[in-house]
Amino acid sequence: MSSTFIMDHPLIRHKIGLMRDKNTSTMEFRALVTEVAMLIYYEASRNLQLADKVIETPLVKTTVKEISGKKLCVVPILRAGMQMAEGVLRLTPNAKVGHIGLYRDEETLEPHEYFCKLPKDIVDREVFVVDPMLATGGSADAAITLLKRRGIEKIRFLCLIAAPEGVERLQKAHPDVDIYIGALDERLNENGYILPGLGDAGDRIYGTK
Ligand code: PRP
Ligand code: URA
Protein backbone atom coordinates (compact mmCIF):
# COMPACT_ATOMS: atom_id res chain seq x y z
CA MET A 1 0.00 0.00 0.00
CA SER A 2 1.36 3.40 -0.93
CA SER A 3 1.71 6.42 1.31
CA THR A 4 0.74 9.99 0.67
CA PHE A 5 2.94 12.67 2.25
CA ILE A 6 1.72 16.23 2.57
CA MET A 7 4.55 18.64 3.31
CA ASP A 8 4.24 20.89 6.33
CA HIS A 9 7.69 22.49 6.33
CA PRO A 10 7.53 26.27 6.84
CA LEU A 11 9.84 26.94 3.88
CA ILE A 12 7.53 25.01 1.55
CA ARG A 13 4.43 26.70 2.93
CA HIS A 14 6.00 30.14 2.60
CA LYS A 15 7.22 29.60 -0.95
CA ILE A 16 3.94 28.06 -2.14
CA GLY A 17 2.20 31.12 -0.68
CA LEU A 18 4.39 33.32 -2.89
CA MET A 19 3.60 31.17 -5.92
CA ARG A 20 -0.15 31.50 -5.41
CA ASP A 21 0.05 35.31 -5.62
CA LYS A 22 -1.01 36.39 -9.12
CA ASN A 23 1.43 39.31 -8.90
CA THR A 24 4.46 37.02 -8.63
CA SER A 25 6.49 37.48 -11.82
CA THR A 26 7.33 34.71 -14.29
CA MET A 27 10.99 34.89 -13.27
CA GLU A 28 10.20 34.58 -9.55
CA PHE A 29 7.62 31.87 -10.17
CA ARG A 30 10.10 29.74 -12.11
CA ALA A 31 12.71 30.03 -9.37
CA LEU A 32 10.13 29.10 -6.74
CA VAL A 33 9.05 25.96 -8.64
CA THR A 34 12.67 24.79 -8.68
CA GLU A 35 13.19 25.58 -4.99
CA VAL A 36 10.00 23.91 -3.78
CA ALA A 37 10.72 20.88 -5.98
CA MET A 38 14.12 20.57 -4.29
CA LEU A 39 12.52 20.70 -0.85
CA ILE A 40 9.90 18.08 -1.71
CA TYR A 41 12.53 15.87 -3.34
CA TYR A 42 14.57 16.08 -0.14
CA GLU A 43 11.68 14.25 1.55
CA ALA A 44 10.91 11.94 -1.37
CA SER A 45 14.54 10.76 -1.55
CA ARG A 46 14.78 10.13 2.19
CA ASN A 47 14.86 6.33 1.93
CA LEU A 48 17.24 5.93 -1.00
CA GLN A 49 19.75 3.23 -0.21
CA LEU A 50 23.33 4.09 0.67
CA ALA A 51 26.47 2.03 0.15
CA ASP A 52 29.90 2.33 1.74
CA LYS A 53 32.76 3.80 -0.25
CA VAL A 54 36.38 4.12 0.87
CA ILE A 55 38.05 7.43 0.10
CA GLU A 56 40.99 9.45 1.34
CA THR A 57 40.49 12.79 3.02
CA PRO A 58 43.55 15.09 2.98
CA LEU A 59 44.45 13.39 6.29
CA VAL A 60 43.38 9.72 6.37
CA LYS A 61 41.50 6.94 4.66
CA THR A 62 37.85 6.77 5.66
CA THR A 63 34.57 5.23 4.66
CA VAL A 64 31.84 7.51 3.36
CA LYS A 65 28.31 6.89 2.10
CA GLU A 66 27.10 7.17 -1.44
CA ILE A 67 23.71 6.59 -3.02
CA SER A 68 24.01 2.96 -3.98
CA GLY A 69 23.67 1.00 -7.24
CA LYS A 70 19.97 1.81 -7.51
CA LYS A 71 20.19 4.67 -9.90
CA LEU A 72 17.71 7.43 -10.42
CA CYS A 73 15.54 8.81 -13.17
CA VAL A 74 13.36 11.91 -13.06
CA VAL A 75 10.40 11.97 -15.43
CA PRO A 76 8.79 15.38 -15.89
CA ILE A 77 5.31 15.55 -17.39
CA LEU A 78 5.63 18.27 -20.03
CA ARG A 79 5.54 21.14 -20.00
CA ALA A 80 5.31 22.26 -16.41
CA GLY A 81 7.12 19.27 -14.91
CA MET A 82 10.35 20.42 -16.59
CA GLN A 83 10.89 23.14 -14.01
CA MET A 84 10.47 20.66 -11.15
CA ALA A 85 12.96 18.30 -12.82
CA GLU A 86 15.46 21.15 -12.66
CA GLY A 87 15.20 21.07 -8.85
CA VAL A 88 15.65 17.28 -8.71
CA LEU A 89 18.71 17.51 -10.97
CA ARG A 90 20.32 20.17 -8.78
CA LEU A 91 20.35 17.68 -5.91
CA THR A 92 21.11 14.52 -7.92
CA PRO A 93 22.81 15.72 -11.12
CA ASN A 94 23.64 12.17 -12.24
CA ALA A 95 19.98 11.19 -12.52
CA LYS A 96 18.80 10.44 -16.03
CA VAL A 97 15.77 12.23 -17.44
CA GLY A 98 12.77 10.80 -19.28
CA HIS A 99 10.15 13.06 -20.82
CA ILE A 100 6.43 12.41 -21.15
CA GLY A 101 4.44 15.00 -23.06
CA LEU A 102 0.78 15.26 -22.09
CA TYR A 103 -1.70 18.03 -22.52
CA ARG A 104 -5.12 18.21 -20.97
CA ASP A 105 -8.05 18.75 -23.32
CA GLU A 106 -9.75 21.91 -22.07
CA GLU A 107 -13.24 20.52 -22.68
CA THR A 108 -13.01 16.88 -21.58
CA LEU A 109 -10.04 17.35 -19.17
CA GLU A 110 -8.67 14.07 -20.59
CA PRO A 111 -4.87 13.87 -21.04
CA HIS A 112 -3.43 13.39 -24.54
CA GLU A 113 0.05 12.02 -25.08
CA TYR A 114 2.22 13.81 -27.65
CA PHE A 115 5.75 12.83 -26.67
CA CYS A 116 7.61 10.09 -24.84
CA LYS A 117 11.34 9.57 -24.62
CA LEU A 118 12.77 7.48 -21.79
CA PRO A 119 16.30 6.33 -20.93
CA LYS A 120 17.01 2.79 -22.23
CA ASP A 121 17.86 1.46 -18.77
CA ILE A 122 14.94 3.12 -16.99
CA VAL A 123 13.59 -0.23 -15.69
CA ASP A 124 16.72 -0.53 -13.52
CA ARG A 125 16.17 2.90 -11.98
CA GLU A 126 14.07 4.43 -9.25
CA VAL A 127 11.72 6.81 -10.99
CA PHE A 128 10.46 10.18 -9.73
CA VAL A 129 7.56 11.48 -11.83
CA VAL A 130 7.17 15.25 -11.38
CA ASP A 131 4.35 17.61 -12.29
CA PRO A 132 3.44 20.76 -10.34
CA MET A 133 -0.33 20.18 -10.46
CA LEU A 134 -2.38 17.10 -9.55
CA ALA A 135 -5.89 18.24 -10.50
CA THR A 136 -8.26 15.50 -11.79
CA GLY A 137 -5.26 13.15 -11.66
CA GLY A 138 -5.73 12.19 -15.31
CA SER A 139 -2.25 13.27 -16.43
CA ALA A 140 -0.39 11.65 -13.52
CA ASP A 141 -2.44 8.45 -13.91
CA ALA A 142 -1.69 8.31 -17.65
CA ALA A 143 2.05 8.96 -17.19
CA ILE A 144 2.42 6.32 -14.47
CA THR A 145 0.35 3.79 -16.45
CA LEU A 146 2.64 4.35 -19.45
CA LEU A 147 5.75 3.77 -17.27
CA LYS A 148 4.31 0.61 -15.74
CA ARG A 149 3.52 -0.79 -19.20
CA ARG A 150 7.24 -0.50 -19.91
CA GLY A 151 8.00 -2.61 -16.87
CA ILE A 152 8.98 0.13 -14.45
CA GLU A 153 8.13 -0.77 -10.88
CA LYS A 154 9.65 1.74 -8.49
CA ILE A 155 7.76 4.95 -9.03
CA ARG A 156 7.17 7.97 -6.81
CA PHE A 157 5.06 10.98 -7.76
CA LEU A 158 5.88 14.55 -6.67
CA CYS A 159 3.67 17.60 -7.12
CA LEU A 160 3.49 21.11 -5.71
CA ILE A 161 -0.30 21.40 -5.35
CA ALA A 162 -2.96 18.69 -5.33
CA ALA A 163 -6.75 18.59 -5.30
CA PRO A 164 -8.40 15.88 -3.17
CA GLU A 165 -10.04 14.51 -6.35
CA GLY A 166 -6.66 13.92 -7.99
CA VAL A 167 -5.12 12.34 -4.90
CA GLU A 168 -8.02 9.91 -4.60
CA ARG A 169 -7.80 8.92 -8.26
CA LEU A 170 -4.05 8.34 -8.08
CA GLN A 171 -4.25 6.35 -4.85
CA LYS A 172 -6.91 4.09 -6.38
CA ALA A 173 -5.23 3.65 -9.76
CA HIS A 174 -1.69 3.18 -8.41
CA PRO A 175 -1.77 1.98 -4.82
CA ASP A 176 1.93 1.09 -5.05
CA VAL A 177 3.09 4.66 -5.84
CA ASP A 178 4.06 7.00 -3.00
CA ILE A 179 2.77 10.55 -3.48
CA TYR A 180 4.56 13.67 -2.20
CA ILE A 181 2.47 16.84 -2.15
CA GLY A 182 3.61 20.41 -1.43
CA ALA A 183 0.10 21.56 -0.46
CA LEU A 184 -3.30 19.85 -0.49
CA ASP A 185 -5.94 22.32 -1.69
CA GLU A 186 -9.73 22.47 -1.32
CA ARG A 187 -11.26 21.31 -4.60
CA LEU A 188 -11.50 21.64 -8.36
CA ASN A 189 -13.62 24.31 -10.02
CA GLU A 190 -16.00 23.60 -12.93
CA ASN A 191 -13.09 23.97 -15.41
CA GLY A 192 -10.89 21.47 -13.60
CA TYR A 193 -8.64 24.11 -12.00
CA ILE A 194 -7.45 23.68 -8.44
CA LEU A 195 -8.85 26.11 -5.84
CA PRO A 196 -7.30 28.19 -4.41
CA GLY A 197 -4.41 26.83 -6.52
CA LEU A 198 -2.02 29.00 -8.45
CA GLY A 199 -3.61 29.08 -11.91
CA ASP A 200 -2.11 27.34 -14.93
CA ALA A 201 1.35 26.19 -13.87
CA GLY A 202 2.73 25.86 -17.42
CA ASP A 203 1.55 29.33 -18.40
CA ARG A 204 3.01 30.87 -15.25
CA ILE A 205 6.38 29.15 -15.72
CA TYR A 206 6.73 29.99 -19.40
CA GLY A 207 4.80 33.27 -19.52
CA THR A 208 2.42 31.99 -22.16
CA LYS A 209 -0.63 33.85 -20.92
C1 PRP B 1 -1.34 20.77 -16.35
C2 PRP B 1 -0.44 20.26 -15.24
C3 PRP B 1 -0.70 18.79 -15.27
C4 PRP B 1 -2.16 18.72 -15.61
C5 PRP B 1 -2.94 18.44 -14.35
O1 PRP B 1 -0.76 20.54 -17.58
O2 PRP B 1 0.93 20.60 -15.44
O3 PRP B 1 0.08 18.09 -16.22
O4 PRP B 1 -2.52 20.00 -16.15
O5 PRP B 1 -4.26 18.24 -14.61
P1 PRP B 1 -4.99 16.83 -14.39
O6 PRP B 1 -4.55 16.31 -13.07
O7 PRP B 1 -6.44 17.19 -14.43
O8 PRP B 1 -4.59 15.92 -15.53
P2 PRP B 1 -1.39 21.05 -18.96
O9 PRP B 1 -2.22 19.96 -19.56
O10 PRP B 1 -2.08 22.37 -18.75
O11 PRP B 1 -0.12 21.18 -19.88
P3 PRP B 1 1.14 22.17 -19.80
O12 PRP B 1 2.02 21.68 -18.67
O13 PRP B 1 1.77 21.99 -21.13
O14 PRP B 1 0.64 23.57 -19.54
N1 URA C 1 -3.38 22.43 -14.39
C1 URA C 1 -2.86 23.58 -13.91
O1 URA C 1 -1.83 24.05 -14.41
N2 URA C 1 -3.52 24.20 -12.91
C2 URA C 1 -4.64 23.70 -12.34
O2 URA C 1 -5.18 24.32 -11.41
C3 URA C 1 -5.16 22.50 -12.86
C4 URA C 1 -4.50 21.88 -13.89
Side-chain angles (χ1 to χ4, degrees):
M1 189 64 194
S2 79
S3 302
T4 299
F5 302 91
I6 299 162
M7 305 295 117
D8 62 357
H9 195 287
L11 281 173
I12 296 180
R13 296 179 78 171
H14 173 79
K15 287 176 189 293
I16 287 181
L18 295 174
M19 294 175 68
R20 292 186 193 279
D21 187 338
K22 67 177 185 180
N23 294 316
T24 295
S25 70
T26 300
M27 189 184 76
E28 288 170 305
F29 189 87
R30 216 179 271 149
L32 286 162
V33 173
T34 308
E35 288 171 8
V36 177
M38 286 168 75
L39 294 167
I40 298 174
Y41 182 57
Y42 173 81
E43 276 307 323
S45 58
R46 185 173 283 283
N47 54 11
L48 288 181
Q49 286 188 351
L50 292 170
D52 287 344
K53 180 184 177 187
V54 178
I55 57 128
E56 283 182 44
T57 74
L59 303 173
V60 286
K61 256 191 185 170
T62 190
T63 303
V64 295
K65 299 288 182 190
E66 67 174 3
I67 292 173
S68 73
K70 287 287 162 216
K71 290 171 284 171
L72 311 175
C73 182
V74 55
V75 176
I77 301 178
L78 308 182
R79 293 175 294 170
M82 288 286 294
Q83 199 65 40
M84 284 187 75
E86 174 67 25
V88 170
L89 290 171
R90 287 212 192 151
L91 292 177
T92 46
N94 289 330
K96 286 195 176 173
V97 185
H99 296 87
I100 297 179
L102 295 174
Y103 73 89
R104 204 171 68 142
D105 183 290
E106 285 181 10
E107 298 293 318
T108 64
L109 303 182
E110 285 302 313
H112 293 273
E113 185 187 328
Y114 61 88
F115 188 77
C116 181
K117 186 87 180 168
L118 303 172
K120 279 205 176 67
D121 61 353
I122 190 170
V123 285
D124 303 326
R125 292 174 177 266
E126 299 210 23
V127 173
F128 295 81
V129 178
V130 295
D131 189 333
M133 309 306 275
L134 180 64
T136 65
S139 303
D141 182 3
I144 293 168
T145 300
L146 182 157
L147 292 171
K148 286 184 173 173
R149 282 201 192 117
R150 303 209 178 187
I152 298 150
E153 287 173 357
K154 291 194 170 179
I155 303 174
R156 284 167 246 205
F157 179 78
L158 281 61
C159 65
L160 304 185
I161 306 225
E165 295 90 330
V167 178
E168 199 183 321
R169 174 168 176 171
L170 209 53
Q171 286 171 334
K172 273 201 188 126
H174 302 288
D176 52 324
V177 172
D178 285 342
I179 307 170
Y180 295 83
I181 298 170
L184 181 62
D185 275 13
E186 287 163 24
R187 64 182 175 90
L188 296 177
N189 73 6
E190 56 287 1
N191 299 317
Y193 276 83
I194 301 174
L195 295 178
L198 47 71
D200 186 305
D203 283 341
R204 295 201 62 192
I205 291 167
Y206 297 110
T208 41
K209 231 176 211 165

